[in-house]
Structure formats: C-alpha cells, structure tokens
Amino acid sequence: MDHFLYRDGALFAEDVPVAEIAAAVGTPFYLYSTATLLRHFRLFDEALDGTDHLVCYAMKAASNQAILRTLAQAGAGMDVVSQGEYLRARAAGVPGGKIVFSGVGKTAEEIRTALAGGIRQFNVESEPEMEVLNAVALEMGKVAPVTLRVNPDVDARTHAKIATGKSENKFGIPIARARAAYARATALPGLEVIGIDVHIGSQLTELAPFEAAYAKVAELTETLRADGHDIRRLDLGGGLGIPYARSNEAPPLPLEYCAMIKRVLGHLDCEIEIEPGRLIAGNAGIMVSRVIYVKSGEGRDFLIVDGAMNDLIRPAMYEAYHDIVPVIEPEPGLERRPYDIVGPVCETGDTFARGRDLPPLAAGDLIAFRSAGAYGAVMASEYNTRPLIPEVMVNGDQFAVIRPRPSYEEMINRDTIPPWL
Ligand SMILES: *Cc1c(COP(=O)(O)O)cnc(C)c1O
C-alpha cells in the first residue's frame, strides 16, 4: 500500500499532483510520501506490540535527513553501517541509545565516534573486530555493548548480490564458531555481551528462510545461556521484500513476519530488534522522469527519458524490475505498445526496461518509476557528470525539496587543480 494514486486522471503523491511538483522542481527527481513511510514503520511497530522491541530503520535504504527525522519522531531507532550514517542519524535527532552499528569493516575511528556519541549496541561481525572494539573501548574508559552477528548458513533465496546469510558470504561469524567467539568476547573487559544478531539478506519473498535462521538463533540462545552468557537481546536484521510488480505474488506482510518472530522466539523472553529498510522506504518513493525522445529502432521503440542508471541503478545492478507508469492516467481501453525505456547515459546497461507495455507516450510526457524509495537516491552517482537529482517530500497537501539539485558550478568546483597545472 502506498500513497501514489491516480485521482481525476492524474498521478498524485498524497494530496499533491505529481505534475505540479515536476513543474516546480524540474525532472528527474525522487519523491517520497510521509504517510507511506509512517504507515510501513507502524506496521512493524504495531505488529510487535506486547513484545519489548525496537524497530531500527536500516537507513542505508534511504537516508535523507527528512526521512530519518520523520521516522525518528514516530519512535524508530536506526541501523547504521558507517560513521557517516551514524553522524547523519544523530544530526536528524536520533539519540545514540537508539542506534545500532552493523557492518563488516568498522574502523577504530568509526568505533570511537559511536562510543563517544553514544550507541545502543555494536553488531560485531568478526573476531578481529572484537579485539579492536575492546582496545578502543578500554582506551576511552568505556564498555561497549555488543551482539555478535552470526552467519547461520541459510539460503535467503534472493538475488545473489543481496544474499548475506550463506557461509560463503562475508557477513557474520560462522554459527559453528559462535560458542568460541562468545567465550572470547566475554573475556574482553571492554565488551559487554548482551545478545545475538543475524541478517540473512534483502528482498526476501518468503518467510521460510527467515524462520530457518531464527530457529538457529533460538537454539543458539539456549546454548549460550547454558554456557553462562546473559543473552537478553535478539537483533533479527531486515530483509523483508516488497512487491515490485503488481502482477507478482505479494511477499509476506509485516504482520505475518512479526507473528512468526513471536512464535519462533517469544518463549526466550528477549528484547527483539528488527532492521527493515526496503519495506519502510521502498514503496514510499517514486522517481519522476520526463520523456526526451521517442526513437524508433529496428523492430522496437525506445523511450529515452531524462532519468538514467546513475540516478536509479537497481535495474542495471540487480536486474531489478520497477513498475513504470505515466503521470497522466491512461484512458481505459487505450491500446498499449511495447517500449524499451532507457536513459541518456552512454552505456547499454542504462536500460530500465525492455518491451514494457505502456500507453502511447510522446516527448515531454512525465513517467514515474514506482517502488524507487529504497536503494534509489542513496546509490546515485554523478556518472556522465549528471548532477544528483533532487529529493522531494510530500506530507498531505504540502511538499518540500529535501535535497536540492546541485548546480554544474558546484559539481565542477569540487575538483581542485594541483599546483603544477
Ligand atoms: C541492508 C541491511 C538491512 C536492511 O535490509 P532491507 O532488505 O532493506 O530490509 C538490515 N540490516 C543489515 C545489517 C543490513 O545490512
């Protein structure tokens, strides 16, 4: 469910016509719906009602300050994976006590920043990280709260580039080594072991892989408790998928996912953390783009649009499907025709869709890429010296630019010429 719907023949974002924003801001741009962000956060938060829990939004999915503040004001914590994300979360008003720090390559400097500013816990991903964390904590006279991220060796049945829970992936400590790792962590005076962390991948469309991983976490909890560890918090990661194509079977709902969590882990009486990213932000954002040319090729028509792979890389990177819709609602019964939808970047990979059936479109028409809120703007680059596209947020009948388009001058002046030139 989202708040990008046709009304009176035109696409609206909540109560604002998308075409009106396009006229004010210029294309292409990202557009987020406050109501959809909040709705998705609350689906998780309310489904875990009655359980001691914190929903930590995985902010790598979409990390604009306005998005973070919207979610933080609703009570969300944050899952961060870098010092930059930690500082961004703090700048948006998230207290350190609601931030968890994940990631395989935390440097001593990153750890220092989080320990100094306050942190809910570090999700430690390796034995060497444990030693560095201990050394930094001791040097600062602090004790770092930690969970160890275990790799449960479960096939998430998702795209290979976003599967993280198999033994060949770089993430976490192999679950078979967990007891030894926990013994070592407990022996380090700079660490306080409080729980277990797991995250098996992204865009999962079935509950079974989650359940398999969580069953292993339940078993490990009992084993570690028997070993004398005070396991009181379980961080279960993110990864629940979203329906990118309306024709596809819908992934499980947050309610079903949370019911499974309670069923598999409820008896352990642990505090539960989850880290959804895509499910909160994905369908809360669209990318709006304008047709530059309609070009007829050999046996196919190309829709050349002003958005490109540098703005939204998911199709090029993950073979991802995005629903693409015209901003003017097509008349019912209008004949559709197949288009290859491509951007202006000089790469064949700059292709959003092939043979996509759309109503006839002409130069100047606006289209929207749906489900672009997660892993969209955050993965954008300036490839081909294209400015990062603006981000806009709607709230009811208001909208605001939450990141302006940089000028060409700003982009170019970031480079510096060495003295010998
Ligand atoms: C990316 C990531 C998430 C969020 O994944 P989604 O598929 O966006 O829900 C959560 N936790 C960790 C550790 C991650 O790396």
Side-chain angles (χ1 to χ4, degrees):
M1 226 295 274
D2 62 54
H3 295 77
F4 300 101
L5 299 170
Y6 287 119
R7 201 191 285 178
D8 307 325
L11 189 66
F12 273 63
E14 300 190 19
D15 298 327
V16 186
V18 170
E20 186 184 315
I21 302 173
V25 175
T27 55
F29 62 95
Y30 279 102
L31 179 57
Y32 305 100
S33 154
T34 302
T36 312
L37 282 170
L38 289 175
R39 177 187 146 81
H40 290 160
F41 166 72
R42 288 183 181 134
L43 285 177
F44 285 109
D45 200 36
E46 286 162 15
L48 287 172
D49 236 6
T51 304
D52 187 10
H53 72 276
L54 184 65
V55 179
C56 294
Y57 168 61
M59 62 176 274
K60 74 176 190 282
S63 58
N64 188 289
Q65 291 283 291
I67 293 175
L68 303 186
R69 188 162 297 188
T70 298
L71 292 169
Q73 283 181 356
M78 297 289 153
D79 171 48
V80 308
V81 294
S82 70
Q83 181 172 4
E85 285 197 349
Y86 177 84
L87 295 172
R88 242 180 207 287
R90 293 306 310 269
V94 184
K98 285 181 130 178
I99 300 176
V100 302
F101 201 146
S102 302
V104 296
K106 304 176 199 81
T107 64
E109 183 196 325
E110 292 185 301
I111 290 168
R112 212 169 281 123
T113 298
L115 272 177
I119 190 83
R120 182 178 183 81
Q121 99 230 2
F122 292 92
N123 294 331
V124 173
E125 301 229 12
S126 67
E127 290 90 344
E129 181 191 335
M130 221 187 267
E131 305 293 331
V132 171
L133 182 54
N134 178 58
V136 174
L138 291 181
E139 168 198 304
M140 295 174 72
K142 303 216 177 229
V143 176
V146 300
T147 69
L148 302 194
R149 176 169 176 181
V150 294
N151 184 323
D153 195 20
V154 164
D155 183 354
R157 285 184 262 176
T158 184
H159 192 282
K161 284 186 183 155
I162 48 176
T164 60
K166 285 286 283 173
S167 57
E168 66 262 31
N169 300 136
K170 68 179 175 181
F171 299 96
I173 294 168
I175 198 160
R177 252 181 16 226
R179 285 178 80 182
Y182 273 87
R184 176 65 186 152
T186 305
L188 297 172
L191 307 190
E192 185 193 4
V193 174
I194 59 171
I196 305 174
D197 170 48
V198 71
H199 170 71
I200 59 171
S202 196
Q203 186 53 19
L204 272 71
T205 53
E206 306 161 87
L207 282 187
F210 285 117
E211 185 163 349
Y214 297 168
K216 289 189 178 192
V217 167
E219 196 186 321
L220 181 62
T221 303
E222 314 249 30
T223 305
L224 293 174
R225 281 178 172 171
D227 286 348
H229 301 287
D230 181 13
I231 302 299
R232 52 190 187 274
R233 181 180 294 169
L234 301 177
D235 182 330
L236 303 173
L240 192 59
I242 63 172
Y244 279 97
R246 279 179 233 184
S247 51
N248 281 8
E249 205 180 314
L253 300 171
L255 190 64
E256 299 166 308
Y257 169 75
C258 293
M260 181 273 289
I261 289 175
K262 289 179 175 173
R263 178 162 52 76
V264 177
L265 299 162
H267 63 286
L268 295 166
D269 201 27
C270 281
E271 182 185 359
I272 298 293
E273 281 169 3
I274 54 171
E275 303 169 344
R278 189 189 307 271
L279 203 139
I280 290 177
N283 284 325
I286 61 175
M287 183 179 81
V288 181
S289 186
R290 197 180 286 283
V291 177
I292 308 174
Y293 296 115
V294 182
K295 167 174 164 173
S296 52
E298 291 283 340
R300 61 181 70 233
D301 284 340
F302 294 99
L303 219 50
I304 302 172
V305 302
D306 61 3
M309 65 187 288
N310 69 295
D311 306 312
L312 176 64
I313 205 170
R314 299 191 63 261
M317 181 123 126
Y318 309 117
E319 292 92 37
Y321 179 100
H322 282 271
D323 207 3
I324 299 170
V325 298
V327 167
I328 301 294
E329 185 175 20
E331 302 280 335
L334 199 66
E335 201 174 326
R336 293 177 169 251
R337 49 196 300 181
Y339 288 107
D340 282 13
I341 300 162
V342 301
V345 162
C346 299
E347 296 228 13
T348 302
D350 188 20
T351 299
F352 290 116
R354 288 194 187 284
R356 186 71 64 86
D357 283 330
L358 286 173
L361 287 162
D365 287 348
L366 293 170
I367 58 171
F369 293 77
R370 295 176 56 86
S371 313
Y375 307 105
V378 287
M379 294 180 96
S381 76
E382 293 178 344
Y383 187 39
N384 280 212
T385 304
R386 292 167 49 85
L388 292 183
I389 67 177
E391 293 181 280
V392 180
M393 183 177 250
V394 165
N395 184 15
D397 61 2
Q398 323 173 64
F399 73 90
V401 175
I402 57 174
R403 190 179 67 193
R405 194 189 309 275
S407 69
Y408 287 107
E409 200 182 10
E410 283 169 322
M411 284 171 78
I412 294 164
N413 288 346
R414 282 204 309 264
D415 297 355
T416 51
I417 305 283
W420 60 85
L421 289 177

